[in-house]
Amino acid sequence: MGRIMQREFPEAPLVGVGAVVVDEGRVLLVRRGTEPLRGQWSLPGGLLELGEPLNAGVVREVREETGLIVEPVELIELLDRIHREGERVRYHYVIADYLCRVVGGALKAASDADAVRWVERAEWNSHPPRLPAVAGRTLRLDPVTVRVIEIGWQRAQVLQAERREGR
């Protein structure tokens, strides 16, 4: 019987994947339904399962959280997210964020995402990053998330231009 992975106050960093899903110039965000980041908007993603390749993990996580089927295009960034509580590490994730394109499915919040939505560049690229009010609340994005979104969005624009030019 395998060990259960301890997310909170782990013994070692946990490996996760994230997706910058770009479609028609917009980026897909999910509102987290569980800790860490409960109630905050972020990129779809989660932890790898044992023996699961990174590409397969990002496809699975996006499908589980959003109902969409994506194709990973390329790795955007490898980063760590460390949340401390005093001197203890409450959460420590190493996350591989991928640029992805939609190839199927139907958008619907599921799994540990309690909402999903597409956002335009002006919404995440404002200073400070804010999304329009939903149900009377202004939504904010973490600066690291904004950076990763912008890198992915910029790369998607380059790839789209290259496809138009036939490269």
Side-chain angles (χ1 to χ4, degrees):
M1 197 156 149
R3 289 182 15 191
I4 295 176
M5 198 171 359
Q6 183 174 328
R7 291 180 185 226
E8 196 169 14
F9 301 108
E11 294 178 16
L14 304 174
V15 179
V17 290
V20 178
V21 182
V22 179
D23 189 54
E24 298 178 9
R26 304 167 303 163
V27 171
L28 183 64
L29 294 180
V30 299
R31 188 173 59 207
R32 295 272 157 230
T34 60
E35 293 294 345
L37 305 177
R38 182 181 182 157
Q40 295 184 34
W41 290 90
S42 187
L43 296 169
L47 293 180
L48 281 183
E49 295 176 353
L50 184 62
E52 182 177 45
L54 290 167
N55 282 354
V58 77
V59 170
R60 176 185 52 76
E61 283 290 342
V62 173
R63 187 181 67 250
E64 286 177 1
E65 293 184 353
T66 73
L68 296 178
I69 301 166
V70 297
E71 175 186 18
V73 176
E74 64 186 41
L75 180 66
I76 295 172
E77 186 168 354
L78 184 64
L79 58 96
D80 57 1
R81 291 285 194 137
I82 302 170
H83 302 266
R84 297 185 186 278
E85 192 168 284
E87 294 192 16
R88 295 181 67 199
V89 173
R90 183 171 181 185
Y91 299 103
H92 185 171
Y93 299 102
V94 176
I95 304 170
D97 283 314
Y98 283 84
L99 172 61
C100 297
R101 70 174 139 249
V102 177
V103 295
L107 187 61
K108 179 183 176 194
S111 183
D112 61 347
D114 64 15
V116 293
R117 68 178 287 205
W118 292 103
V119 295
E120 301 286 339
R121 185 171 190 230
E123 295 175 279
W124 78 75
N125 208 25
S126 61
H127 300 284
R130 295 173 189 260
L131 296 178
V134 173
R137 292 178 49 207
T138 299
L139 304 171
R140 297 171 194 222
L141 290 173
D142 175 85
V144 173
T145 302
V146 171
R147 185 186 76 230
V148 172
I149 290 170
E150 185 64 20
I151 292 168
W153 185 86
Q154 292 282 348
R155 184 65 182 139
Q157 301 315 299
V158 168
L159 293 172
Q160 185 177 18
E162 288 175 355
R163 277 194 303 274
R164 279 193 302 257
E165 295 170 4
R167 286 196 223 169

